[in-house]
Amino acid sequence: MSTKPSVPTGLPKPSAGQPCPCGTGRNHESCCGPRLNGQQPAETAEQLMRSRFTAHVAHDWRYLHVTYRPTSRKPYVDDGDAAEIPWTRLVVHAHEPGASPDAAFVDFSAYYATEQGEQALHEGAWDWQSLIIKGRWQTHVEQSCPRSAALLRR
């Protein structure tokens, strides 16, 4: 009798009292929740990347729009054409300050489920740069590959 390997499932949308999808081990309401609902901005580039991952899991396209520098100054319009990617986990490998205090780099892997199993999207520290713009961290693509840019931009 042959057993087919199980296909991983995506994380559930975050909710109060549940662990935050970003992987810190803290509850959503004391981790990324206040960032997504606009109560507390990200204090570091790592917090920004974790909150953006959580926004992907939550399908909070507006948050992704306002924290991505190329779209942040444009009005958000829900086009209803968002990719439904079943994200499974986030691993932050490194968080390094940049050459100035308003820039930093984050090296991370975001995992997602496919029929072939869990796949990883790895972004090196030099691929995504986070900058402080008007007192708020925002993501800015430096040299991203087309596939990862499409997945993470929205």
Side-chain angles (χ1 to χ4, degrees), residues 56 64 83 85 87 112 121 146-154:
H56 277 284
L64 294 168
I85 299 169
W87 298 102
Y112 58 99
L121 168 67
R147 176 187 162 125
S148 60
L151 287 173
L152 291 178
R153 266 189 226 149
R154 174 181 151 309

Side-chain angles (χ1 to χ4, degrees), residues 6-8 86 88 112-119 147:
S6 64
V7 175
T88 58
Y112 58 99
T114 69
E115 289 184 11
Q116 293 76 34
E118 189 177 55
Q119 305 293 316
R147 176 187 162 125

Side-chain angles (χ1 to χ4, degrees), residues 21-113:
C22 78
T24 61
R26 296 175 28 210
N27 282 346
H28 176 64
E29 66 272 15
S30 64
C31 192
C32 293
R35 292 182 237 313
L36 270 61
N37 66 27
Q39 293 177 326
Q40 179 184 20
E43 295 175 9
T44 66
E46 180 178 345
Q47 285 181 351
L48 174 65
M49 294 313 295
R50 287 184 181 281
S51 65
R52 285 182 53 81
F53 177 82
T54 298
H56 277 284
V57 173
H59 302 162
D60 188 340
W61 314 129
R62 187 200 65 71
Y63 182 79
L64 294 168
H65 177 86
V66 301
T67 58
Y68 180 56
R69 187 173 181 209
T71 59
S72 65
R73 295 182 187 176
K74 299 174 185 173
Y76 173 69
V77 177
D78 185 357
D79 61 10
D81 190 28
E84 297 288 330
I85 299 169
W87 298 102
T88 58
R89 61 190 167 110
L90 175 70
V91 175
V92 175
H93 307 292
H95 173 217
E96 302 171 19
S100 66
D102 62 346
F105 300 93
V106 181
D107 183 12
F108 66 94
S109 294
Y111 293 83
Y112 58 99

Side-chain angles (χ1 to χ4, degrees), residues 43 45 69 96-105 129-138 140:
E43 295 175 9
R69 187 173 181 209
E96 302 171 19
S100 66
D102 62 346
F105 300 93
Q129 180 182 21
S130 296
L131 306 162
I132 295 178
I133 309 291
K134 294 188 178 179
R136 296 198 183 259
W137 283 100
Q138 294 181 345
H140 173 72

